[in-house]
Amino acid sequence: MTRIPVMPPSFASLTYGQAPAQQIDDERLHMDFWADLGELIGAVAACVTLIFVVRATRHSGQAVQDAQRMLELEGDRDERAVALEERRQASQLAFWPVRGEVDGTFQWGIELLNSSDAPVFSMELRRPEGKSGNGTLIPEIRAAAKILPPGRYFFSERKHWPVHVESQRVLEPIPGNTDYMPSVRFKDSDGREWSRGSSGRLEQLVG
């Protein structure tokens, strides 16, 4: 019987046999690298998204606060506009002490001017008795009118109603003593009731 010699495996054959295992390990390392890189990119993306959300939330909150402030400012401005419109006619009624020739005689009294384009109603004028700077008696004036159209009017202790004064007539104002000043109550054309005191301050009466 003839023996066939068995050759020991060569180094080349061993190396060739190990090559697939080494290749698999390399591929696993390669895949692990990309997996780690993907996780890293995902984490970075999540952080960026979180930062964006935080900034957006802050910006949204600030925007809401700004909008609320704007609404409050608009509301305040609307209220002021309404208040000014309500006072528009009443603020055009003014008065001051005067002296001059009225009804053919020289008199001391009060000139009242309604410079609005509508009448006022239920007007009452009162000046209490007082004294001038040199001690002269300032007589009391009480007068009323159910309706007072636009124009100039003169009030004195001689009459209890206003006397219309022509636009060209000159009456001399009397400055320097508030005892000459009256107080007036009236209603505007919308039915709101007002008072203007001897200090000149205009106030709306409620109730």
Side-chain angles (χ1 to χ4, degrees), residues 21-39:
Q22 183 66 36
Q23 185 177 1
I24 291 172
D25 291 340
D26 292 342
E27 290 177 354
R28 286 178 178 174
L29 289 174
H30 187 71
M31 292 175 64
D32 290 344
F33 169 76
W34 286 110
D36 294 340
L37 182 60
E39 291 179 359

Side-chain angles (χ1 to χ4, degrees), residues 83-96 111-120 123 148-153 184 186-190 192 194-196 200-203:
L84 287 173
E85 179 59 26
E86 290 179 350
R87 295 171 65 91
R88 184 181 61 82
Q89 183 189 11
S91 65
Q92 296 182 72
L93 188 140
F95 48 83
W96 52 90
E111 178 177 348
L112 185 147
L113 176 64
N114 178 9
S115 58
S116 73
D117 55 2
V120 297
M123 192 281 305
L148 197 71
R152 294 175 67 199
Y153 299 91
V184 174
F186 62 95
K187 292 181 179 179
D188 64 19
S189 57
D190 290 322
R192 288 181 289 264
W194 300 87
S195 171
R196 191 186 288 278
R201 183 177 180 181
L202 179 67
E203 293 182 348

Side-chain angles (χ1 to χ4, degrees), residues 7 26 47 51 55 74 126 190 205:
M7 299 294 292
D26 292 342
C47 290
I51 293 172
R55 286 187 174 182
E74 289 293 334
R126 181 178 183 273
D190 290 322
L205 302 178

Side-chain angles (χ1 to χ4, degrees), residues 133-201:
N134 59 10
T136 303
L137 178 67
I138 300 175
E140 179 185 28
I141 298 178
R142 286 180 177 267
K146 292 183 178 179
I147 179 171
L148 197 71
R152 294 175 67 199
Y153 299 91
F154 179 79
F155 297 82
S156 72
E157 77 279 3
R158 300 183 183 184
K159 295 181 179 180
H160 298 292
W161 59 85
V163 176
H164 183 260
V165 178
E166 301 85 355
S167 58
Q168 68 272 16
R169 182 170 297 280
V170 177
L171 297 176
E172 180 186 356
I174 303 173
N177 191 340
T178 57
D179 288 340
Y180 285 106
M181 286 289 288
S183 60
V184 174
R185 294 180 62 161
F186 62 95
K187 292 181 179 179
D188 64 19
S189 57
D190 290 322
R192 288 181 289 264
E193 190 171 7
W194 300 87
S195 171
R196 191 186 288 278
S198 59
S199 65
R201 183 177 180 181

Side-chain angles (χ1 to χ4, degrees), residues 30-94:
H30 187 71
M31 292 175 64
D32 290 344
F33 169 76
W34 286 110
D36 294 340
L37 182 60
E39 291 179 359
L40 179 61
I41 293 174
V44 172
C47 290
V48 172
T49 302
L50 180 60
I51 293 172
F52 176 78
V53 169
V54 171
R55 286 187 174 182
T57 302
R58 288 179 179 176
H59 179 73
S60 176
Q62 185 64 39
V64 170
Q65 292 178 1
D66 292 342
Q68 289 176 343
R69 282 196 293 268
M70 288 298 295
L71 288 174
E72 291 175 359
L73 290 174
E74 289 293 334
D76 292 343
R77 185 159 51 194
D78 291 342
E79 289 179 2
R80 287 195 298 270
V82 170
L84 287 173
E85 179 59 26
E86 290 179 350
R87 295 171 65 91
R88 184 181 61 82
Q89 183 189 11
S91 65
Q92 296 182 72
L93 188 140

